[in-house]
């Protein structure tokens, strides 16, 4: 049976990067802070364990936070790193920095040695719309689109309940709104991973990590996941091969 702690972790990890949408809609702050304040003030989420997962999922903020050793933010921090390093591939060209107007690129651009330039139009999933096939037409994501996405998500978050059914509803809402939004808009990296896929992957990894540590009787998440980061040697995951080079990177950070 799924526990309240697991439910809170999954909700916090699914929403950990919601601040990216807020930031791209015109908010100038870092996405960790903007996401935290959005959930607290607009979506009216008051659970500190969930909010901490959003506010402190980056190391630079987590290291200065006064959190309990078993705070779920440490689990989301670790899971976010695993999920992010799996898709952070350098682009062949391009300057540094970020471009908020960058559209989601097609994964087929580089398949089998291709050098395609296709990307997706600004859309949310809607069964009444035609299929959003990738195109080479010029696409520029704008603040108005991101504002509409945030509005779509807000009403669904206001009725948050800590149960398994809500997680399924939240997944459906995020899939509908974030499927055609890039996870990263870095000019140095490929932008063919959607924000929905990244957030879902983070939640999956976080859930595995928490269950592993619980089974081992370990409650000091800070030590295991932030100070030592030594899960690479402990057979935490039964997973596809890409996770092993990811752990090697994490172990030397």
């Amino acid at each position: 049976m799924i526990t309240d702690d697991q439910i809170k972790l999954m909700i916090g990890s699914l929403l950990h990067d919601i601040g990216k949408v807020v930031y791209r809609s015109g908010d100038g702050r870092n996405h960790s802070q903007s996401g935290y304040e959005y959930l607290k003030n607009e979506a009216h989420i008051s659970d500190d364990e969930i909010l901490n997962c959003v506010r402190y999922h980056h190391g630079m903020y987590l290291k200065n936070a006064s959190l309990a050793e078993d705070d779920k933010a440490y689990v989301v921090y670790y899971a976010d790193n695993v999920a992010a390093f799996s898709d952070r591939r350098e682009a062949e060209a391009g300057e540094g920095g970020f471009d908020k107007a960058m559209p989601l690129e097609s994964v087929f651009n580089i398949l089998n040695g291709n050098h395609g330039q296709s990307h997706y139009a600004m859309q949310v999933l809607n069964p009444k719309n035609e299929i959003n096939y990738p195109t080479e037409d010029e696409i520029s994501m704008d603040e108005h689109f991101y504002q509409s996405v945030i509005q779509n998500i807000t009403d669904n978050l206001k009725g948050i309940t800590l149960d398994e059914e809500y997680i399924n509803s939240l997944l459906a809402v995020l899939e509908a709104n974030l499927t055609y939004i890039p996870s990263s808009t870095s000019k140095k990296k490929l932008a063919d991973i959607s924000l929905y896929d990244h957030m879902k992957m983070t939640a999956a990894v976080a859930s595995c990590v928490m269950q592993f540590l619980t089974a081992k009787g370990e409650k000091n998440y800070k030590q295991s996941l932030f100070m030592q980061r030594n899960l690479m040697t402990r057979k935490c995951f039964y997973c596809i091969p890409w996770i092993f080079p990811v752990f090697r990177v994490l172990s030397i950070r």
Side-chain angles (χ1 to χ4, degrees):
M1 180 178 179
I2 190 169
T3 66
D4 286 347
D5 280 338
Q6 290 172 324
I7 290 172
K8 289 182 181 182
L9 177 70
M10 281 187 269
I11 293 174
S13 52
L14 281 172
L15 294 173
H16 80 281
D17 263 348
I18 194 66
K20 288 185 176 180
V21 185
V22 179
Y23 170 77
R24 296 172 197 170
S25 71
D27 190 302
R29 296 165 296 174
N30 73 77
H31 73 268
S32 298
Q33 185 65 23
S34 60
Y36 160 75
E37 294 193 16
Y38 160 73
L39 292 177
K40 184 177 181 179
N41 300 326
E42 302 298 327
H44 305 302
I45 294 177
S46 58
D47 190 288
D48 286 336
E49 293 184 275
I50 294 175
L51 293 174
N52 284 347
C53 293
V54 179
R55 192 177 192 182
Y56 300 116
H57 70 273
H58 283 292
M60 61 186 298
Y61 305 116
L62 187 57
K63 68 180 180 181
N64 295 319
S66 299
L67 300 179
E69 293 176 342
D70 63 347
D71 197 287
K72 296 172 181 61
Y74 293 109
V75 183
V76 175
Y77 157 79
Y78 189 87
D80 179 45
N81 273 277
V82 173
F85 273 108
S86 72
D87 58 53
R88 282 181 183 167
R89 294 148 296 151
E90 297 288 341
E92 294 182 358
E95 300 177 357
F98 294 85
D99 178 9
K100 293 193 294 184
M102 183 182 295
L104 178 69
E105 298 173 347
S106 170
V107 294
F108 295 101
N109 284 347
I110 60 171
L111 186 66
N112 296 327
N114 292 338
H115 298 279
Q117 301 294 323
S118 297
H119 38 247
Y120 293 93
M122 292 183 294
Q123 282 191 20
V124 297
L125 292 182
N126 188 330
K128 297 180 180 180
N129 293 339
E130 295 182 358
I131 296 175
N132 188 12
Y133 290 110
T135 176
E136 292 190 4
D137 294 342
E138 184 175 348
I139 301 293
S140 180
M141 309 285 275
D142 57 42
E143 292 184 358
H144 177 73
F145 172 73
Y146 279 113
Q147 289 167 4
S148 67
V149 168
I150 280 293
Q151 187 58 51
N152 289 345
I153 294 174
T154 300
D155 291 338
N156 290 278
L157 294 180
K158 288 181 179 179
I160 189 171
T161 55
L162 298 179
D163 57 47
E164 191 171 355
E165 289 185 6
Y166 179 82
I167 294 174
N168 291 328
S169 298
L170 179 58
L171 276 167
V173 170
L174 296 178
E175 181 180 19
N177 287 280
L178 305 180
T179 290
Y180 294 118
I181 288 178
S183 175
S184 173
T185 59
S186 170
K187 295 180 182 179
K188 293 179 63 178
K189 303 181 186 301
L190 297 171
D192 56 3
I193 303 297
S194 75
L195 186 55
Y196 169 66
D197 284 331
H198 170 69
M199 293 163 82
K200 182 175 62 172
M201 175 67 77
T202 300
V205 173
S207 181
C208 291
V209 168
M210 186 176 183
Q211 290 187 54
F212 174 83
L213 294 177
T214 298
K216 297 297 182 181
E218 298 182 28
K219 297 182 179 180
N220 191 334
Y221 299 153
K222 180 178 181 179
Q223 185 68 21
S224 298
L225 304 174
F226 188 64
M227 304 300 293
Q228 293 183 345
R229 296 192 289 267
N230 64 352
L231 289 191
M232 62 171 286
T233 62
R234 303 183 59 191
K235 297 183 179 180
C236 177
F237 301 98
Y238 290 97
C239 203
I240 50 180
W242 61 257
I243 207 161
F244 297 105
V246 168
F247 279 150
R248 286 198 290 272
V249 172
L250 286 174
S251 68
I252 63 175
R253 290 182 68 233

